[in-house]
Amino acid sequence: MVSPKLTIAEILAAPLASSDAAFNTNTRNRHSQLVELINTHNHRYHVLDAPIIPDSDYDKLFRQLLDLEESVPQLATVDSPSQRVGATALDHFSSVTHKLAMLSLDNAFNDEELAAFDKRLKDRLTDELVNIEYFCEPKLDGVAVSITYIDGILHTAATRGDGSQGENITTNVKTINSVPLKLQGDNFPYRVEVRGEIYLPDAGFKKMNQAAQDRGEKTFVNPRNAAAGSLRQLDSKITATRPLMMSAYGVGYIEYSDQQGVLHAGPKGYLSDSHSKSLSQLAEWGFFINPEIKAVKGIDQAIEYCQALTNKRSSLTYEIDGVVIKVDSCALQQQLGFVSRAPRWAIAYKFPAEEASTTINAIEWQVGRTGALTPVAKLAPVFVGGVTVSNATLHNVDEITRLDVRPDDTVVIRRAGDVIPQVAKVIHDLRPSGSEPIVLPIHCPECGSDVSRVSGEAVIRCTAGQLCPAQLKEAIKHYVSRKAMDIEGFGDKIIDQLVDQKYVLSAVDLYSLSQSQLAGLDRLADKSAANLLAALDASKSTTLARFIYSLGVREVGQATAKNLANAFGSLELLIESVVAARDKNLSAIERLIEIDDIGPIVAQHIFSYFNNPRNLKLIEQLQSVGISWQDIPINQGQALALSGQTWVLTGKLISMSRDQVKEKLESLGAKVSGSVSRNTHCLIAGEAAGSKRTMAEALGITIIDEAAFIARFID
Ligand code: 9MJ
């Protein structure tokens, strides 16, 4: 990107003198400065997600540009950012013939079909390849578009249409801020066609539908239809109000000009020798490329990527309906060619259907760690989202009322990624006659104790605490879990037996288990028993944050436990603060709600926990069997090396686990985040780091590898 010569302040501080409003050199220079600045900040905002100037400054620059072009209309060239506000309405869309057909993709619906795709390629390729290098991309659910640039300037944008002819939607596409009107840099072919997907992120879709509803207009059923509807507007000023995005995923027709100015068709659809390099080139020209893209080796890794993206799908802020897997090497792509209307070198893995209907056989109540009774629908097994589901959560009493659900009802089950299947709706028309509403339990189904319901809360609870075996089992499972005391080998089945046999009545009993008790459990060999004892011993040395988390205080997750540990430095001080508050009749929660992340409800849970003599006794017993940690010197907060910094981990680490690195960073005062943003201070990039690294590079964030991290902070 060319750096602007004047600062924004300088530009804004020098309003246009009326004598300037003529088409002279000064005016032209000023116009170019404005165009350059607006393009730079538009790209930072809409493509890099890294704005550096306030919106109000951007708006002022834009206003100045419009004013200038109003006085001197010759300045309003086709690549001026002023084009983004929309143009005169059309009365129809003209048609565009694609110089290179826009193909569709073959589909695969499961791992076997992906493996068959891989085999087909290997059978066809002359080179013997063990692992084909693939490039995986989220399959955005929007509208495919082809945008042609001539001499770096956006010339035509067209829909896919029937693949050979589409509609000319140039004026509409120009309103999309993530589409460059002019390519950045100067190393582009004379003519290049960029292909991608135009889509509406979820937030934009919601906003747009809300606005339509407020005006009493029809809403769109999904973001895809809304994106298509927005692009089909004959009035591009309407399109300009829709928060559309464009993500580039490939290249179509290319033409080069030689030194004598003679044009030559380039290698069709190839900008470089690999698809991944072509995408990097597109990013350099200013296009937005989806950050989840990843290069993999072999179909097994591509299948793993599909699985990982399936799990991540519900947390993405836009809709995807699968994964596109492409052969990365352009030479191999060329060898493979096409079959009918689809390339042989790519395949679309489609996510399995995520809703299915079935019937409820019964409704059971499951007792959780804190005694909450969760209603669970026992289903006639149904295949949904790629797995067979026979249980679905009904969450709580309010949800039962909202759905008006009963045993024997026919229901729609929804499964999103790895989230617990839910009952989406009841098909009331199919309800059998004589069915009865659900009766709420008055006794715990596990231990028979009374249940209580705090008024205004949707949750009913068993009142027996850890005297209820179901609560105890869950509490022990939590205690040994990886993020808590991290005691390896204690699977759910083992814990169920230990509680059922009454070997374990609280977490402290774990430490007095004998080899013979453990070896006597179902399917547990002598060696595993010894391993369990060794794991128990090894876990005794821990951190304060882990210990607090492992206690299972209601609503105290890993982050809150860390905040408590950092705020008090020692367990004694935390307990003292609670006890002192109680004794002096102070508001118990005042000190606690000063801490990050802790609100009045969580504070009340913390207060209740540490105010209960049974819990204090458990803590004392755990310490007396040897659980220990290093207290954190108080007020060290500001002096910590990485205080106030946000770090991100990506890729595969070799010498340390992610949790170890995370723990180390946090002990140095850093916050560890899952995603790269302009607030990231440093990225630790392990092997095969993908999109996060790309993003960090784009944002100019410091990147270090695992060895550098170890050298700096561990050795
Ligand atoms: C989508 N829809 O996100 C392709 N696509 O490549 C991606 N579509 C595609 N690639 C060749 N990421 C034809 C279509």
PDB file of all heavy atoms in Angstrom, residues 128-140:
ATOM      1  N   GLU A 128       3.510 -40.722  -8.421  1.00  0.00           N
ATOM      2  CA  GLU A 128       3.050 -41.517  -7.268  1.00  0.00           C
ATOM      3  C   GLU A 128       3.105 -40.627  -6.031  1.00  0.00           C
ATOM      4  O   GLU A 128       4.180 -40.270  -5.569  1.00  0.00           O
ATOM      5  CB  GLU A 128       3.963 -42.720  -7.084  1.00  0.00           C
ATOM      6  CG  GLU A 128       3.633 -43.825  -8.044  1.00  0.00           C
ATOM      7  CD  GLU A 128       3.495 -45.156  -7.326  1.00  0.00           C
ATOM      8  OE1 GLU A 128       3.549 -45.177  -6.077  1.00  0.00           O
ATOM      9  OE2 GLU A 128       3.346 -46.152  -8.011  1.00  0.00           O
ATOM     10  N   LEU A 129       1.971 -40.251  -5.517  1.00  0.00           N
ATOM     11  CA  LEU A 129       1.947 -39.347  -4.367  1.00  0.00           C
ATOM     12  C   LEU A 129       1.382 -40.064  -3.159  1.00  0.00           C
ATOM     13  O   LEU A 129       0.335 -40.699  -3.250  1.00  0.00           O
ATOM     14  CB  LEU A 129       1.063 -38.133  -4.672  1.00  0.00           C
ATOM     15  CG  LEU A 129       1.600 -37.192  -5.750  1.00  0.00           C
ATOM     16  CD1 LEU A 129       0.501 -36.296  -6.261  1.00  0.00           C
ATOM     17  CD2 LEU A 129       2.731 -36.355  -5.175  1.00  0.00           C
ATOM     18  N   VAL A 130       2.115 -39.989  -2.039  1.00  0.00           N
ATOM     19  CA  VAL A 130       1.589 -40.608  -0.811  1.00  0.00           C
ATOM     20  C   VAL A 130       0.515 -39.689  -0.249  1.00  0.00           C
ATOM     21  O   VAL A 130      -0.614 -40.083  -0.002  1.00  0.00           O
ATOM     22  CB  VAL A 130       2.712 -40.824   0.233  1.00  0.00           C
ATOM     23  CG1 VAL A 130       2.163 -41.513   1.484  1.00  0.00           C
ATOM     24  CG2 VAL A 130       3.839 -41.616  -0.390  1.00  0.00           C
ATOM     25  N   ASN A 131       0.895 -38.437  -0.060  1.00  0.00           N
ATOM     26  CA  ASN A 131      -0.032 -37.454   0.485  1.00  0.00           C
ATOM     27  C   ASN A 131      -0.149 -36.271  -0.457  1.00  0.00           C
ATOM     28  O   ASN A 131       0.820 -35.546  -0.670  1.00  0.00           O
ATOM     29  CB  ASN A 131       0.478 -36.938   1.841  1.00  0.00           C
ATOM     30  CG  ASN A 131       0.184 -37.923   2.939  1.00  0.00           C
ATOM     31  OD1 ASN A 131      -0.896 -38.514   2.983  1.00  0.00           O
ATOM     32  ND2 ASN A 131       1.150 -38.120   3.824  1.00  0.00           N
ATOM     33  N   ILE A 132      -1.312 -36.093  -1.019  1.00  0.00           N
ATOM     34  CA  ILE A 132      -1.518 -34.927  -1.883  1.00  0.00           C
ATOM     35  C   ILE A 132      -1.637 -33.699  -0.981  1.00  0.00           C
ATOM     36  O   ILE A 132      -2.263 -33.760   0.079  1.00  0.00           O
ATOM     37  CB  ILE A 132      -2.800 -35.107  -2.725  1.00  0.00           C
ATOM     38  CG1 ILE A 132      -2.643 -36.314  -3.653  1.00  0.00           C
ATOM     39  CG2 ILE A 132      -3.128 -33.846  -3.512  1.00  0.00           C
ATOM     40  CD1 ILE A 132      -3.855 -36.645  -4.491  1.00  0.00           C
ATOM     41  N   GLU A 133      -1.025 -32.604  -1.382  1.00  0.00           N
ATOM     42  CA  GLU A 133      -1.183 -31.372  -0.597  1.00  0.00           C
ATOM     43  C   GLU A 133      -2.496 -30.714  -0.969  1.00  0.00           C
ATOM     44  O   GLU A 133      -2.715 -30.374  -2.137  1.00  0.00           O
ATOM     45  CB  GLU A 133      -0.018 -30.418  -0.856  1.00  0.00           C
ATOM     46  CG  GLU A 133       1.274 -31.035  -0.387  1.00  0.00           C
ATOM     47  CD  GLU A 133       2.434 -30.055  -0.306  1.00  0.00           C
ATOM     48  OE1 GLU A 133       2.278 -28.917  -0.772  1.00  0.00           O
ATOM     49  OE2 GLU A 133       3.483 -30.461   0.208  1.00  0.00           O
ATOM     50  N   TYR A 134      -3.373 -30.622   0.023  1.00  0.00           N
ATOM     51  CA  TYR A 134      -4.685 -30.009  -0.206  1.00  0.00           C
ATOM     52  C   TYR A 134      -4.745 -28.656   0.480  1.00  0.00           C
ATOM     53  O   TYR A 134      -4.001 -28.391   1.423  1.00  0.00           O
ATOM     54  CB  TYR A 134      -5.792 -30.885   0.385  1.00  0.00           C
ATOM     55  CG  TYR A 134      -6.021 -32.162  -0.374  1.00  0.00           C
ATOM     56  CD1 TYR A 134      -5.700 -33.400   0.184  1.00  0.00           C
ATOM     57  CD2 TYR A 134      -6.577 -32.137  -1.648  1.00  0.00           C
ATOM     58  CE1 TYR A 134      -5.915 -34.573  -0.508  1.00  0.00           C
ATOM     59  CE2 TYR A 134      -6.797 -33.320  -2.346  1.00  0.00           C
ATOM     60  CZ  TYR A 134      -6.463 -34.527  -1.774  1.00  0.00           C
ATOM     61  OH  TYR A 134      -6.676 -35.687  -2.453  1.00  0.00           O
ATOM     62  N   PHE A 135      -5.707 -27.865   0.010  1.00  0.00           N
ATOM     63  CA  PHE A 135      -5.964 -26.588   0.650  1.00  0.00           C
ATOM     64  C   PHE A 135      -7.432 -26.573   1.066  1.00  0.00           C
ATOM     65  O   PHE A 135      -8.310 -26.836   0.241  1.00  0.00           O
ATOM     66  CB  PHE A 135      -5.633 -25.437  -0.322  1.00  0.00           C
ATOM     67  CG  PHE A 135      -5.405 -24.159   0.401  1.00  0.00           C
ATOM     68  CD1 PHE A 135      -4.187 -23.914   1.028  1.00  0.00           C
ATOM     69  CD2 PHE A 135      -6.405 -23.223   0.524  1.00  0.00           C
ATOM     70  CE1 PHE A 135      -3.961 -22.755   1.726  1.00  0.00           C
ATOM     71  CE2 PHE A 135      -6.194 -22.056   1.231  1.00  0.00           C
ATOM     72  CZ  PHE A 135      -4.981 -21.820   1.836  1.00  0.00           C
ATOM     73  N   CYS A 136      -7.673 -26.351   2.369  1.00  0.00           N
ATOM     74  CA  CYS A 136      -9.040 -26.437   2.889  1.00  0.00           C
ATOM     75  C   CYS A 136      -9.578 -25.043   3.182  1.00  0.00           C
ATOM     76  O   CYS A 136      -8.871 -24.204   3.747  1.00  0.00           O
ATOM     77  CB  CYS A 136      -9.064 -27.242   4.185  1.00  0.00           C
ATOM     78  SG  CYS A 136      -8.398 -28.885   3.988  1.00  0.00           S
ATOM     79  N   GLU A 137     -10.819 -24.847   2.803  1.00  0.00           N
ATOM     80  CA  GLU A 137     -11.458 -23.530   3.022  1.00  0.00           C
ATOM     81  C   GLU A 137     -12.882 -23.732   3.510  1.00  0.00           C
ATOM     82  O   GLU A 137     -13.561 -24.651   3.050  1.00  0.00           O
ATOM     83  CB  GLU A 137     -11.543 -22.764   1.690  1.00  0.00           C
ATOM     84  CG  GLU A 137     -10.229 -22.616   0.993  1.00  0.00           C
ATOM     85  CD  GLU A 137     -10.353 -22.068  -0.439  1.00  0.00           C
ATOM     86  OE1 GLU A 137     -11.465 -21.729  -0.859  1.00  0.00           O
ATOM     87  OE2 GLU A 137      -9.324 -22.015  -1.124  1.00  0.00           O
ATOM     88  N   PRO A 138     -13.347 -22.879   4.403  1.00  0.00           N
ATOM     89  CA  PRO A 138     -14.755 -22.960   4.789  1.00  0.00           C
ATOM     90  C   PRO A 138     -15.607 -22.709   3.549  1.00  0.00           C
ATOM     91  O   PRO A 138     -15.230 -21.876   2.713  1.00  0.00           O
ATOM     92  CB  PRO A 138     -14.938 -21.813   5.787  1.00  0.00           C
ATOM     93  CG  PRO A 138     -13.583 -21.351   6.132  1.00  0.00           C
ATOM     94  CD  PRO A 138     -12.655 -21.748   5.036  1.00  0.00           C
ATOM     95  N   LYS A 139     -16.707 -23.415   3.423  1.00  0.00           N
ATOM     96  CA  LYS A 139     -17.592 -23.182   2.278  1.00  0.00           C
ATOM     97  C   LYS A 139     -18.649 -22.178   2.696  1.00  0.00           C
ATOM     98  O   LYS A 139     -19.592 -22.507   3.413  1.00  0.00           O
ATOM     99  CB  LYS A 139     -18.225 -24.492   1.822  1.00  0.00           C
ATOM    100  CG  LYS A 139     -18.959 -24.344   0.534  1.00  0.00           C
ATOM    101  CD  LYS A 139     -19.378 -25.703  -0.002  1.00  0.00           C
ATOM    102  CE  LYS A 139     -20.181 -25.544  -1.280  1.00  0.00           C
ATOM    103  NZ  LYS A 139     -21.341 -24.687  -1.124  1.00  0.00           N
ATOM    104  N   LEU A 140     -18.427 -20.946   2.286  1.00  0.00           N
ATOM    105  CA  LEU A 140     -19.335 -19.864   2.690  1.00  0.00           C
ATOM    106  C   LEU A 140     -20.672 -20.032   1.993  1.00  0.00           C
ATOM    107  O   LEU A 140     -20.724 -20.415   0.818  1.00  0.00           O
ATOM    108  CB  LEU A 140     -18.719 -18.511   2.318  1.00  0.00           C
ATOM    109  CG  LEU A 140     -17.411 -18.215   3.042  1.00  0.00           C
ATOM    110  CD1 LEU A 140     -16.628 -17.141   2.329  1.00  0.00           C
ATOM    111  CD2 LEU A 140     -17.697 -17.794   4.481  1.00  0.00           C
TER     112      LEU A 140
END
